[in-house]
Amino acid sequence: MDRRKSAALALLSFAMLIVSLDQYIVVVALPEIGRELRYSAHTLQSVISAYAIASSGFLLFGGRAADVLGRRRMLMTGLALYGVASLAGGLATGPAWQLTARAVQGLGGALVFPSTLAIINTMFVEGRDRNRALGIWGGSGAAGLVIGVLLGGALTRMFGWEAVFFVNLPLVGVALLLAVPLLDGGRPEVRRLFDLPGALTATGAVTLLVFALVQGPALDWSILVGISVIAVVLLVAFVGIERRSPDPLVPPNLLRNRVLVVALVIAFLFMATFGSLLYFLSLYFQDVRGYDPLQTGLGFLLPTAVVVAGSTIAGQAVTRFGLRRTLLTALAVGAAGAVVLGLGLSADGSYVVLVPGLVLVSIGDGAVFTMMFIAAATGVPDRKQGVASGLVSTSSGIGASVGLAVLVLVANAHTSGLVGEELRTAAAEGIRTTVFVIGAGIVLTLLFALRLRKSATVCS
């Protein structure tokens, strides 16, 4: 790999780290944010969901925009939106202002994520070089989710909740300054149509669907049904528009790529399982074990190191052993880790008891994160890499929302009306049960991954 490509890969991985950080960096700051900005107990979770809803809804749009309008341009646009929204979020004096800022952050992330992935997939030839590059990029993304919890805890304790927003400003500034000299501007594909009707209906359908999943428990049933019906209508309209479009947002032949289709399902299940685990571990450390934000962050140091290692090594393992074999092994390790971790969770257990499970599940987490994106790029032509990236990113976003919505119900099934020590014990049992459900979900992912052909080997 020449120096210019190495420098570009480092920048793209750094951009991926920035947007990944923010998915969890505010989690440990939520109690302080709620107190100072006067959120209610029912609306505080909206700080997380506002980002998730906007990001999931616009990922497919972002992927198409990257293909048609230019990948570097969309990357820089997304970073700029992200930086401005971070400043606004840190300066917020009330929930409405902050939630708007979080939604704009999500929009920025929806442009950055598929743009970085599409640039890597077109910069590196399919096989060994791309696998290695995606391993590094995936390591940054997977680590960002965990580092966000660690950094959020440290910043909140030392500087207050505002710091979890302001920290993005210098990071985004560095990325924008380096984007022009390190990345090829490319030429927008002027001969291709943007398919605006398709983009709008797809964005509307996904946004409303994720909103219904995330906010469903807090909504009146009639409103929830109405939103769901509108989402289905938009989805049906999207399918009709795509069939008639001369240059559809999602080309039909793209979905004939079996490896891509399997990757979309795996991405959905990955975020519904592995992706939800961080949230419940954070709750366990703080609400059950009584850790403060910094201690909670420190508790994620070990998983962070293992996730980065697993994600980085995954690309090389795929080149050597093949995608199917490596993916199945990683999922088996992750499922075993979830079981071991669940067995170690209790109201009064020590951190040391959790270490074996944390190590195993983190190996699976990091490796599968990288491999699902390797699979999504396999056999896809360069001109469609942005859309493919948007598809797999959208699938993972919806999976995260569905998974969290279901697993929160599992975790809280027996906590209603309890207080004090009874609540703490019930919360520990609920999280323990949730981790076992996550393990079952990982096994389901493994069973689906068996659909990959034995010949689905990504080699040089």
Side-chain angles (χ1 to χ4, degrees), residues 9-352:
L9 176 59
L11 171 60
L12 294 168
S13 299
F14 180 61
M16 178 62 178
L17 177 68
I18 294 172
V19 295
S20 296
L21 278 175
D22 218 63
Q23 294 190 43
Y24 281 102
I25 197 170
V26 301
V27 168
V28 292
L30 282 179
E32 189 171 329
I33 291 173
R35 286 191 298 271
E36 293 202 14
L37 298 189
R38 298 177 297 282
Y39 281 90
S40 70
H42 296 291
T43 60
L44 183 58
Q45 190 60 32
S46 299
V47 179
I48 304 296
S49 59
Y51 182 98
I53 291 167
S55 177
S56 300
F58 283 90
L59 279 165
L60 189 55
F61 173 90
R64 177 68 167 200
D67 279 345
V68 177
L69 303 178
R71 294 170 184 129
R72 187 182 73 181
R73 178 183 296 174
M74 287 300 100
L75 171 62
M76 295 182 70
T77 300
L79 286 170
L81 283 172
Y82 204 82
V84 171
S86 296
L87 177 62
L91 294 175
T93 57
W97 181 349
Q98 188 171 74
L99 293 179
T100 300
R102 286 290 286 169
V104 176
Q105 272 188 314
L107 173 58
L111 297 180
V112 171
F113 193 105
S115 297
T116 60
L117 186 55
I119 292 171
I120 289 175
N121 288 338
T122 53
M123 183 184 300
F124 297 94
V125 177
E126 183 176 316
R128 183 183 61 186
D129 288 346
R130 184 186 289 175
N131 295 345
R132 181 170 177 269
L134 286 175
I136 295 170
W137 174 87
S140 298
L145 297 175
V146 186
I147 293 172
V149 181
L150 170 61
L151 189 59
L155 291 173
T156 301
R157 180 167 177 174
M158 291 186 290
F159 304 109
W161 67 265
E162 295 90 346
V164 303
F165 291 93
F166 293 150
V167 70
N168 291 323
L169 298 178
L171 301 179
V172 167
V174 170
L176 285 172
L177 286 175
L178 295 176
V180 173
L182 293 182
L183 300 178
D184 182 7
R187 294 182 178 180
E189 298 191 30
V190 295
R191 295 182 180 179
R192 295 186 65 186
L193 301 175
F194 192 79
D195 188 18
L196 187 59
L200 291 175
T201 50
T203 297
V206 174
T207 301
L208 290 175
L209 174 62
V210 174
F211 179 83
L213 289 168
V214 172
Q215 297 295 339
L219 297 175
D220 182 81
W221 72 269
S222 59
I223 296 176
L224 181 61
V225 170
I227 291 173
S228 301
V229 168
I230 295 173
V232 171
V233 170
L234 288 174
L235 186 60
V236 171
F238 170 70
V239 173
I241 289 169
E242 293 300 281
R243 287 179 175 175
R244 295 190 299 271
S245 175
D247 191 5
L249 181 68
V250 182
N253 60 350
L254 195 61
L255 297 179
R256 297 191 191 107
N257 181 333
R258 183 174 179 179
V259 180
L260 172 60
V261 173
V262 172
L264 296 180
V265 177
I266 290 174
F268 176 94
L269 293 172
F270 172 86
M271 288 304 296
T273 54
F274 286 105
S276 298
L277 186 58
L278 285 176
Y279 176 80
F280 292 101
L281 284 177
S282 180
L283 290 181
Y284 174 77
F285 288 145
Q286 293 187 86
D287 295 347
V288 177
R289 303 296 299 140
Y291 290 6
D292 65 23
L294 182 57
Q295 289 173 319
T296 299
L298 292 173
F300 284 100
L301 271 178
L302 175 63
T304 298
V306 178
V307 164
V308 172
S311 190
T312 305
I313 294 171
Q316 301 171 35
V318 169
T319 300
R320 183 172 180 180
F321 301 110
L323 177 61
R324 185 177 187 269
R325 183 187 303 178
T326 310
L327 179 60
L328 292 175
T329 301
L331 287 168
V333 171
V339 173
V340 174
L341 180 61
L343 291 173
L345 289 170
S346 67
D348 300 305
S350 69
Y351 182 85
V352 174

Side-chain angles (χ1 to χ4, degrees), residues 410-434:
V410 174
N412 295 333
H414 302 292
T415 59
S416 179
L418 300 180
V419 295
E421 184 62 23
E422 289 185 345
L423 176 59
R424 191 177 77 89
T425 302
E429 286 301 314
I431 293 171
R432 175 188 173 98
T433 302
T434 301

